[in-house]
Amino acid sequence: MPSEGKQPLFVLVRPQMGENIGAAARAMWNFGLDRMRVVGPRDGWPNEKAVVMASGAGRLLDEAQVSDTLAEALEDTTYVFATTARIRGLTKPVMSPERAMALAAEKLAAGEKVAVLFGPERAGLENEDVARANALITVPVNPDFPSLNLAQCVLLTAYEWRRAQGEISHERMEIARGGDPATGGDIEAWATHLEERLDERGFFFPPEKAANMKTNLRNLWSRMPLTRADVQMLHGALRQLIRGKDN
């Protein structure tokens, strides 16, 4: 299914290996991007190795726009980012992928057409390519080893695009099958059951501290993300412990 809404074009400039084109397509589709342009692929087009590597993202390759020159690929765009690890004497804004994709979202929402350039595997974009960009994207990598694989760079940028859409959940609770959250009634029944059994065994001593001890226990259960299955297991474990003690 095609992705909905406005999104940046990802332009692969003179990619050298079909496998990397396919991996880039797969990385794009991982994050809901499906608008690829390919400029002057070294091994021609279509490329069977790209199709194999793309796996379930082969549709991106079928629909990719292929051109001989970068000028042709950018003819209808209004704002262009170039990904590069090297700043080679050109005065341009330099942004992190996070900031660049946030800006891309703003420009797309305003009706502009945004492209992101990714250079060939061996040496990246040439100065002539970078000169066509409005801004640069540079990843804060190890300065002693700044080179990123083409698909890695695409993946990282696509991830930041997804983040810019507010579609990243930074934390969540994975609920196992049958693991519905325990209700207040479930917790109350468990707390009462435990307190009764502990009271029988003389746990709440001395008497003047009993109320505070029970409050601390209740607070313990309220801090725990218990499921109904958890509570049932606790009931069963307590019954078994008491049964064993009585025997």
Side-chain angles (χ1 to χ4, degrees):
M1 175 182 295
S3 61
E4 298 179 355
K6 298 178 180 180
Q7 58 173 267
L9 306 165
F10 275 26
V11 183
L12 310 187
V13 182
R14 300 182 300 279
Q16 296 169 321
M17 298 178 63
E19 293 90 341
N20 285 334
I21 300 173
R26 189 169 180 173
M28 288 175 63
W29 192 228
N30 281 150
F31 296 100
L33 293 167
D34 61 4
R35 295 167 198 175
M36 173 185 283
R37 294 185 178 180
V38 183
V39 178
R42 184 190 67 182
D43 296 336
W45 198 263
N47 188 298
E48 184 59 33
K49 292 182 178 179
V51 173
V52 172
M53 183 61 75
S55 187
R59 180 182 64 76
L60 274 71
L61 303 179
D62 295 337
E63 298 176 1
Q65 297 180 26
V66 182
S67 58
D68 294 327
T69 68
L70 182 56
E72 181 184 348
L74 299 180
E75 189 174 14
D76 60 343
T77 62
T78 61
Y79 198 90
V80 178
F81 295 97
T83 60
T84 179
R86 295 171 293 171
I87 311 301
R88 293 166 288 193
L90 298 175
T91 301
K92 289 186 184 293
V94 181
M95 306 178 191
S96 68
E98 180 179 17
R99 171 58 188 144
M101 290 301 96
L103 179 58
E106 293 173 9
K107 290 188 172 296
L108 286 162
E112 296 200 45
K113 194 163 189 176
V114 178
V116 184
L117 309 183
F118 300 88
E121 296 89 322
R122 181 172 297 176
L125 295 168
E126 300 291 339
N127 268 23
E128 291 78 4
D129 306 318
V130 175
R132 297 179 183 277
N134 301 96
L136 307 182
I137 299 175
T138 297
V139 181
V141 294
N142 177 4
D144 295 326
F145 191 60
S147 178
L148 286 176
N149 173 274
L150 172 59
Q152 290 175 327
C153 192
V154 168
L155 181 75
L156 190 153
T157 308
Y159 169 72
E160 291 297 348
W161 167 255
R162 189 80 168 188
R163 286 189 64 201
Q165 306 311 295
E167 297 179 7
I168 301 295
S169 174
H170 293 285
E171 182 176 348
R172 64 189 175 94
M173 177 63 69
E174 183 69 25
I175 303 298
R177 186 175 180 180
D180 297 330
T183 66
D186 296 329
I187 300 298
E188 180 66 25
W190 159 245
T192 300
H193 182 193
L194 179 63
E195 288 171 9
E196 289 174 349
R197 300 290 83 77
L198 290 175
D199 206 16
E200 291 171 359
R201 301 295 172 175
F203 177 79
F204 298 113
F205 182 85
E208 60 270 19
K209 293 186 178 181
N212 190 51
M213 294 171 73
K214 290 179 181 180
T215 297
N216 289 338
L217 277 174
R218 297 285 178 127
N219 189 49
L220 171 63
W221 309 128
S222 70
R223 295 203 312 269
M224 299 175 67
L226 294 170
T227 66
R228 305 194 80 170
D230 292 333
V231 173
Q232 291 169 5
M233 183 181 65
L234 288 170
H235 278 297
L238 183 57
R239 291 190 189 99
Q240 189 61 35
L241 284 172
I242 297 300
R243 185 178 298 116
K245 183 69 174 179
D246 291 340
N247 290 341

